[in-house]
Amino acid sequence: MPVACGGGRPSRDAQVASIASAAGLPADVAAFFARAGRTDGAYQVTYVVTTADKKRQQITLTQHPPDRRIDIYSPDGTIDSTFRLHGTSYQCTRTADKWQCGRLRDQADHAGLLDDNAAANAVATFRKRAADFDFVIDGRTIAGAAATCLVTTRKSGHDDPTLGRSATLCLSAEGAQLLVEVPRGRLEATAYRTDLPAGSLDPPAPLDGEPVGASGASTASRSSS
């Protein structure tokens, strides 16, 4: 079994794959679960999120662990950006072309579906309910990137109202969510890149007195090779 560099403990993706295999899932499903356990990928994804009532919203996720940024675009032109930088969370808001930023008092992850553990949590749920679903793995191209998808369908006779009839989760090679289809809505990538734009993780305004671009010194090191 692969081990983490410099130690004797299994890597996180190896642990996830082992658990999936122990649950009696096929090898390709176990491999997908391992990919979903990745949280170390560097990438930028732009999504269109469609809710169950057909409302649409654009979101951009940029991350180079441990740092990440989520931009939420509102129809009125407002942009709400959440940053997690050096273990601290900040909120920046743009209204009327002016940015204001401040430290978040609540340091909990505000990413929702885009939490860096979301994919792993989703497959953990499927693993626990493996007897209730049929699993199919297929390949697709989404936003110009090769994606591996897990399609789940509820088995006949398993009518638990807490279970959706079907769901789809597609991941890039780096573990980024490129498509999520669940009963409550759909999240689909419209653009994807692994070469991060310069300054993409720099806040647009001072953070509690820090100068703009304070994290710029490390921007080059964040860019993927």
Side-chain angles (χ1 to χ4, degrees):
M1 178 181 291
V3 296
C5 295
R9 297 182 62 187
S11 63
R12 179 176 176 179
D13 57 352
Q15 289 176 322
V16 173
S18 177
I19 292 171
S21 296
L25 297 172
D28 58 350
V29 176
F32 180 90
F33 281 19
R35 180 178 296 194
R38 288 196 60 181
T39 59
D40 59 344
Y43 47 77
Q44 183 178 78
V45 197
T46 296
Y47 299 98
V48 171
V49 179
T50 306
T51 62
D53 58 1
K54 306 303 181 184
K55 293 181 179 178
R56 291 163 64 90
Q57 188 169 42
Q58 179 179 318
I59 296 176
T60 297
L61 165 66
T62 305
Q63 75 167 37
H64 192 298
D67 297 340
R68 70 196 325 250
R69 170 181 182 170
I70 297 175
D71 299 296
I72 301 176
Y73 300 84
S74 299
D76 63 2
T78 300
I79 303 174
D80 288 306
S81 300
T82 302
F83 292 80
R84 188 170 66 207
L85 304 172
H86 312 297
T88 301
S89 296
Y90 302 90
Q91 181 76 39
C92 298
T93 301
R94 190 189 79 170
T95 56
D97 295 324
K98 181 179 180 181
W99 283 96
Q100 290 186 318
C101 297
R103 187 188 302 262
L104 282 171
R105 293 182 180 178
D106 178 5
Q107 295 296 306
D109 199 317
H110 296 263
L113 275 178
L114 298 180
D115 173 11
D116 54 8
N117 291 309
N121 292 340
V123 296
T125 298
F126 287 135
R127 175 179 56 79
K128 292 175 182 178
R129 309 300 295 269
D132 299 307
F133 292 96
D134 289 317
F135 298 87
V136 174
I137 299 292
D138 68 28
R140 307 182 190 183
T141 299
I142 302 174
T148 301
C149 301
L150 171 69
V151 181
T152 65
T153 305
R154 191 177 65 213
K155 292 180 179 179
S156 176
H158 293 252
D159 297 325
D160 185 334
T162 65
L163 302 177
R165 187 184 65 82
S166 64
T168 300
L169 173 62
C170 299
L171 303 175
S172 73
E174 296 74 26
Q177 298 178 68
L178 298 180
L179 175 67
V180 179
E181 286 186 306
V182 292
R184 66 179 182 275
R186 175 187 177 98
L187 178 149
E188 183 172 11
T190 58
Y192 180 71
R193 61 189 298 175
T194 56
D195 56 327
L196 300 187
S200 57
L201 283 165
D202 290 337
L207 300 176
D208 294 339
E210 297 178 18
V212 177
S215 59
S218 59
T219 298
S221 65
R222 294 191 182 108
S223 298
S224 301
S225 57

